[in-house]
Amino acid sequence: DGEYAAMVRAQELRQAVRSKLEDDENGSGSHSDEDEEGDVSELIAKELKEQALDLKATTTRQSTGSAKLSTNDSVAGGKKRRSLENSNDMYLMMRLIWEYRGSMKAAIPGTILALIDGAVMPCFALVFVRALVALSLQDTGEIKRKTDLYANLFLIFSFVGGIAMFGKVGLFHIAGENTARQVREDLFIKYMTFEAGYFDDEKNGTGALTSRLATDAEDFNQVIGTVLNIAVSTLSTIICALAIAFVYSWQVALLMMACWPIQSYAQYWQAQAMWGASMKLRATYEESGQAAAETIRNIKTVATLRREETFIRVFDEKNEVPHSGNLYSSLYSAFGFGFSMACNLFINALVFYAGCKFVTHGWVNVMDLMNSLMATMFSSMSIGYLAQVLPMVPKGAVASRGIYMTLERKTTINGIDPTGEVASAFEGRISFDNIKFSYPIRPDTKILKGISFEAIEGKSVAL
């Protein structure tokens, strides 16, 4: 039901209306050409309006019925799950991660390595402070001894951090790819169970379905392969930094914790901007993909009718909305990311200023201040790095809703379901008597109009 199909239907409708007018003209007299064209346009507009209303009503009934089935099944299954309408995207994403946890076994050792990677920087901060202090000593022999020790510790940190980074990134990406493959397979199998009327809906055309199959699983993959491993490392960094800060200067630690809500708000603001943009762009990309698929599939007819420019214009118009949306979301996200980075520097400046006041009042000594300050600064840098991958979360959450909308839809005719009655013996002779059929999405268009025939075993039947 793309642009080509709409053009064909419009041509058929015009021919049908002209035939009707010719019949009326033969019965009631002649009309002028001008009146005839006016009647044709008026009748076509009326007919198209009625078809649009019928399509909208039928689609609404189908979506409502599907939602009811999903809700009833979730309650009857013994586990009361929230329906899709009552669930936010973040809840659906976490639920999807939990349900596909069997495909993410590689993330278990990846999580351990991510925790080690997150602890490296706060520990490095402690050694770094001591290295700076060692350089201020008066005894050159003591300086050489301590700097050699700290240089070797830096080398150990580099090896540990490199191995942990390599392992966590690789293992989390393996887990993400395995999960994405399983999600694509489940989506495709689910498509195979849907009745023909589902694919007859213009929202479920070839372009839209292939676009969902490609992008939804990949967006979900990004959440597992990138966001989760950085989130685990960031959590480890924050815990270690807070432990170090509280050991050496609880005043500085409390001040840093009081400033973290500012950073969290900056990242929340950035995520909210990306969330709304992701939901809008998803639908528009599906529309443009549908238009491209319809045009390419019927390229011979399009070339014969010399309508290439028309379909190029239609494709460009459908891409205009996502293009403008991407420009807006990029600027908004860049501003949010810049604000988040500025918050890091502002918090570091504030903590450094307050720490100096603590030293002048004699509440902490310089060494304890430096240990606490360096640990908390590294934790702030870690939170800022998490902000770089935060835009992936809204895309993955929106994709999770799309995945569940497909997986939880109940089909009226499931051709691959093994349950049901199975005849122990049957005869290869089938009779059809006055069969009438129309697709649910187009109930007024009759595909089979009272056809009758008999199929006998070993014989071919031509319709």
Side-chain angles (χ1 to χ4, degrees):
D1 281 346
E3 303 298 331
Y4 172 74
M7 183 175 65
V8 173
R9 286 199 301 271
Q11 185 178 3
E12 293 175 350
L13 180 60
R14 180 176 287 274
Q15 292 176 354
V17 172
R18 284 188 181 277
S19 300
K20 183 178 180 181
L21 286 176
E22 288 176 1
D23 294 338
D24 294 342
E25 182 181 349
N26 293 333
S28 58
S30 61
H31 295 281
S32 65
D33 293 340
E34 232 175 85
D35 293 339
E36 183 180 351
E37 287 297 327
D39 293 339
V40 170
S41 300
E42 184 179 351
L43 286 172
I44 288 176
K46 181 179 179 182
E47 184 68 22
L48 287 174
K49 184 177 180 181
E50 291 177 356
Q51 287 185 8
L53 291 174
D54 290 342
L55 178 62
K56 183 177 181 181
T58 306
T59 306
T60 303
R61 287 196 302 270
Q62 284 188 336
S63 61
T64 304
S66 176
K68 289 181 178 178
L69 280 173
S70 177
T71 304
N72 293 336
D73 288 344
S74 63
V75 175
K79 295 181 180 180
K80 292 185 178 180
R81 289 181 175 178
R82 284 185 278 177
S83 63
L84 294 179
E85 292 77 12
N86 298 328
S87 303
N88 58 46
D89 295 341
M90 182 60 72
Y91 166 78
L92 293 176
M93 184 179 71
M94 300 305 295
R95 189 176 120 190
L96 195 63
I97 292 174
W98 176 253
E99 290 186 357
Y100 281 90
R101 62 189 183 278
S103 301
M104 295 187 288
K105 295 179 180 179
I108 297 175
T111 300
I112 299 174
L113 292 175
L115 292 174
I116 296 174
D117 177 68
V120 166
M121 293 309 293
C123 296
F124 173 85
L126 288 178
V127 179
F128 183 70
V129 170
R130 283 159 175 75
L132 292 178
V133 173
L135 293 175
S136 63
L137 297 175
Q138 300 298 323
D139 187 357
T140 56
E142 187 69 12
I143 292 175
K144 186 178 184 307
R145 186 182 67 81
K146 289 191 174 182
T147 52
D148 287 344
L149 172 63
Y150 297 141
N152 290 328
L153 288 177
F154 290 154
L155 185 62
I156 294 174
F157 283 142
S158 65
F159 277 111
V160 173
I163 294 173
M165 178 67 73
F166 171 77
K168 72 155 188 172
V169 172
L171 291 171
F172 269 101
H173 275 81
I174 290 174
E177 288 296 333
N178 290 339
T179 307
R181 179 181 179 181
Q182 188 62 47
V183 169
R184 285 195 183 98
E185 182 179 350
D186 291 345
L187 288 175
F188 187 74
I189 292 175
K190 194 65 178 181
Y191 286 151
M192 296 297 99
T193 66
F194 290 161
E195 70 280 1
Y198 174 83
F199 302 97
D200 197 50
D201 190 343
E202 60 181 0
K203 295 187 301 183
N204 302 320
T206 306
L209 294 181
T210 52
S211 178
R212 295 175 201 167
L213 199 61
T215 58
D216 285 354
E218 182 59 29
D219 290 340
F220 185 59
N221 177 16
Q222 292 295 325
V223 173
I224 298 173
T226 303
V227 178
L228 280 185
N229 86 72
I230 294 179
V232 173
S233 294
T234 302
L235 180 63
S236 175
T237 301
I238 291 174
I239 293 175
C240 292
L242 282 178
I244 293 172
F246 272 107
V247 168
Y248 288 98
S249 176
W250 61 268
Q251 297 95 333
V252 174
L254 289 178
L255 181 60
M256 178 62 76
M257 290 181 63
C259 294
W260 278 345
I262 302 176
Q263 290 178 296
S264 301
Y265 174 74
Q267 296 180 13
Y268 172 77
W269 180 28
Q270 181 185 9
Q272 284 295 105
M274 296 299 298
W275 218 296
S278 298
M279 297 181 67
K280 294 177 183 177
L281 294 178
R282 172 188 168 87
T284 52
Y285 275 130
E286 287 181 0
E287 291 179 4
S288 62
Q290 174 68 3
E294 288 286 348
T295 304
I296 295 171
R297 188 168 61 246
N298 302 286
I299 189 62
K300 293 182 179 179
T301 306
V302 173
T304 302
L305 298 175
R306 302 298 301 162
R307 300 301 299 272
E308 294 91 344
E309 294 183 0
T310 300
F311 287 95
I312 291 173
R313 185 177 66 254
V314 169
F315 183 74
D316 288 341
E317 290 174 355
K318 290 187 178 296
N319 278 323
E320 185 64 29
V321 175
H323 175 68
S324 302
N326 275 329
L327 291 179
Y328 171 78
S329 61
S330 297
L331 293 175
Y332 206 92
S333 177
F335 185 78
F337 179 68
F339 180 65
S340 178
M341 293 294 100
C343 284
N344 287 338
L345 298 178
F346 168 75
I347 292 173
N348 290 336
L350 178 62
V351 173
F352 186 79
Y353 173 79
C356 293
K357 291 294 183 181
F358 295 156
V359 172
T360 57
H361 285 79
W363 297 341
V364 295
N365 58 50
V366 176
M367 189 66 179
D368 291 344
L369 173 64
M370 291 299 295
N371 285 324
S372 182
L373 189 62
M374 293 299 293
T376 52
M377 280 185 176
F378 278 114
S379 66
S380 296
M381 292 170 56
S382 178
I383 295 175
Y385 185 58
L386 180 62
Q388 298 181 23
V389 299
L390 202 61
M392 297 179 183
V393 176
K395 293 182 179 180
V398 173
S400 299
R401 178 173 292 275
I403 292 171
Y404 270 118
M405 288 177 65
T406 300
L407 294 180
E408 293 194 352
R409 183 184 183 274
K410 300 299 181 181
T411 180
T412 55
I413 304 174
N414 189 347
I416 64 175
D417 188 359
T419 60
E421 296 182 1
V422 179
S424 57
F426 59 90
E427 183 181 355
R429 186 186 189 92
I430 306 174
S431 297
F432 298 88
D433 184 24
N434 195 26
I435 301 299
K436 297 179 181 180
F437 171 75
S438 62
Y439 287 109
I441 200 67
R442 296 199 303 267
D444 295 333
T445 303
K446 301 298 182 183
I447 306 301
L448 299 179
K449 305 174 182 179
I451 187 173
S452 300
F453 64 94
E454 188 176 53
I456 303 174
E457 181 181 2
K459 301 293 183 180
S460 299
V461 179
L463 299 180

